Amino acid sequence: MVSSKIEHIALVSASSAVPYRADKRCMIENSEMDDLKSGLTYDTAKLGLVTIGDIDLRYRDADGGGKHYHGRGHFEEYVSPMYRLLADELKPSHCIDIGANYGYTGLLMRRAFPDANLTLVEPIPWLESFVRKNFENNGASFDRFISAIASDAAATTEFGVNTNASQDSRVKAQGNWDVISTTSVTLSEITSPVSADQGVYIKIDTQGWEESVFRGGERFLSSHNRWFIKTEFAPHWMISQGSDPVAVLESWLEKYDIYESLGRVAWNCSSLTDMIGKKLEPGDGAKFVDYVQTLNKNGLGWVDLFVLPPASRRAYANTVERPSSIWKRLFD
């Protein structure tokens, strides 16, 4: 893994949600570990390949995070009606992928929104060359690549890199992970080019750092009315990063409309209102977190959330009330 200090945010003009759980069977050979520390790139790595629809995604073959793209969920996202519904109703002029990894979600954004301004945020240094090559190989382009973490303030900071499973890297390193120096940028800074009438689609997957990402975006999120966020919500990982998932969720519920994503969107879903269902309410936090933790053994459950501006000021997808969700009836 690159150990030199990253002093800048690379803003580059171009010619880029499911959490990964480390697989102990996928270990790095000593020779490639040396390459990582001396500056591994796409051109020097042993490559793996997964083809999803018309996307060829190449990754470092020894990275369990790359092999994760062979999973069903990524194939489901490729054909998800969500992108069609966002194009019809939100009409994104800007797309932001926070936690770009190998660039897969960014490629889906570009495929769905060919004219949108596309920003990719990814702090792991060697992943940048993979993102660039994956876009080039697929005949796609992005507008900005930001080599940094998204957080609540612009600063120089540390980041923990899980070399066995890049998707599970975190700001606060776990165990004997590599620690690199990088910079941070806020969501409000990233969205500074956005005008009031433009739609913005944002994906956030930061392995528990979401509280800081949202805090850094509060100026934008509280003043803009045409944004849609899909974010990971994983209590165990949030706790590992110093967040209280119940408190975080309750603070979001006071400011935004939040809906549980059920993962796969029905193929005949006709609107965003139909897709997002019934929103969570203030006071639901503790019971909802308990529910999420039961979705996997040892309390390791997680979900994705859809986060929208409050309906009272939202400029799209005004929703209607639905019957109480199953999880709430079961956990009451």
Side-chain angles (χ1 to χ4, degrees), residues 47-244:
L47 300 178
L49 169 67
V50 58
T51 298
I52 306 175
D54 61 356
I55 294 176
D56 287 336
L57 191 77
R58 288 174 171 83
Y59 55 87
R60 184 171 61 83
D61 192 56
D63 179 13
K67 294 180 187 298
H68 192 257
Y69 290 100
H70 289 270
R72 173 176 173 170
H74 299 290
F75 286 79
E76 291 180 349
E77 186 172 6
Y78 177 86
V79 295
S80 175
M82 179 187 74
Y83 292 97
R84 169 177 53 81
L85 299 174
L86 287 171
D88 290 345
E89 299 184 46
L90 181 66
K91 298 177 174 56
S93 297
H94 293 262
C95 294
I96 302 166
D97 184 3
I98 298 177
N101 199 244
Y102 286 94
Y104 178 64
T105 300
L107 286 165
L108 293 180
M109 290 174 167
R110 174 54 74 221
R111 177 173 171 266
F113 317 116
D115 298 324
N117 184 288
L118 177 58
T119 297
L120 310 178
V121 183
E122 175 54 56
I124 300 179
W126 52 263
L127 279 172
E128 180 176 349
S129 67
F130 283 84
V131 171
R132 293 185 181 283
K133 290 297 289 187
N134 278 326
F135 268 77
E136 177 185 332
N137 292 342
N138 286 279
S141 65
F142 54 83
D143 297 280
R144 290 189 296 174
F145 186 96
I146 301 180
S147 181
I149 67 168
S151 193
D152 55 4
T156 299
T157 188
E158 292 183 340
F159 184 78
V161 180
N162 184 344
T163 49
N164 288 321
S166 62
Q167 288 194 31
D168 194 27
S169 299
R170 310 179 206 176
V171 174
K172 294 184 179 179
Q174 308 294 296
N176 61 351
W177 292 1
D178 285 350
V179 176
I180 63 171
S181 180
T182 186
T183 53
S184 60
V185 63
T186 69
L187 179 57
S188 289
E189 291 171 323
I190 296 170
T191 54
S192 60
V194 177
S195 63
D197 61 340
Q198 291 180 318
V200 185
Y201 173 51
I202 304 168
K203 184 222 80 179
I204 301 173
D205 187 351
T206 56
Q207 298 300 104
W209 198 248
E210 290 76 21
E211 178 181 14
S212 292
V213 177
F214 273 82
R215 188 184 300 125
E218 190 166 333
R219 183 175 73 250
F220 168 76
L221 299 176
S222 63
S223 60
H224 197 273
N225 300 328
R226 291 190 63 85
W227 52 263
F228 184 105
I229 293 176
K230 181 180 179 182
T231 183
E232 181 182 84
F233 186 79
H236 173 83
W237 283 260
M238 296 174 74
I239 292 168
S240 80
Q241 300 302 289
S243 291
D244 178 340

Side-chain angles (χ1 to χ4, degrees), residues 312-332:
S312 59
R313 64 178 178 86
R314 187 163 61 237
Y316 70 99
N318 289 314
T319 59
V320 296
E321 286 300 303
R322 304 295 182 84
S324 296
S325 60
I326 292 175
W327 74 260
K328 190 171 183 181
R329 295 200 299 271
L330 288 176
F331 281 76
D332 276 344

